[in-house]
Amino acid sequence: MWSDARHQPASVDGFGPTLRLALADRPSDGAVDGAWWPYSRDLGVELPPLMAGLHAASGIDGASWVSAGRAGWDRCPVRIRIGGVWVRMRLLGMLDGQLLTINFLDGDRIRLIVVPVDAPDDTAAAALTAGAAGKATVEHQNR
């Protein structure tokens, strides 16, 4: 479900590069729900295609707010409109830059490992594979 960042990724429905996302079938307690390898450190640019990909892959829709570690992103708007719904976005210093949490209107939540934009291809592939297995871990930062 992912593609190599160094190659020209295929367009999904004509809307830009292929979404590099791997979702776990059934994560265990305390594990993540998948892994995601964005193309930039601008969460406002990266979140809409991620949400579209989550909807296409699993029917998940209706995010209410997103939180991510401040260390993982250069830019993040306070809110963004996705699919007719305003989604609040927060960068928090206490969260690890490798974790993105999406909370939905129905109370569900998805936790994704965020692969750094500049990660080498083999590192990103391993992280996506671990995320798809629901076995990825987050290294906690002391900040």
Side-chain angles (χ1 to χ4, degrees), residues 42-127:
D42 185 334
L43 192 53
V45 169
E46 297 292 338
L47 191 60
L50 172 62
M51 296 307 301
L54 286 171
H55 179 71
S58 59
I60 297 170
D61 205 3
S64 60
W65 60 273
V66 173
S67 57
R70 186 175 311 281
W73 303 97
D74 293 334
R75 296 187 60 210
C76 176
V78 174
R79 64 184 185 146
I80 187 170
R81 193 168 178 91
I82 299 176
V85 176
W86 283 104
V87 179
R88 292 175 290 150
M89 299 167 56
R90 294 184 271 188
L91 293 182
L92 304 172
M94 65 187 162
L95 289 180
D96 191 290
Q98 294 177 323
L99 184 65
L100 179 84
T101 303
I102 305 169
N103 294 279
F104 294 89
L105 296 169
D106 64 3
D108 284 342
R109 175 179 73 176
I110 290 181
R111 294 176 45 175
L112 298 173
I113 292 291
V114 178
V115 180
V117 173
D118 57 354
D121 296 345
D122 57 342
T123 301

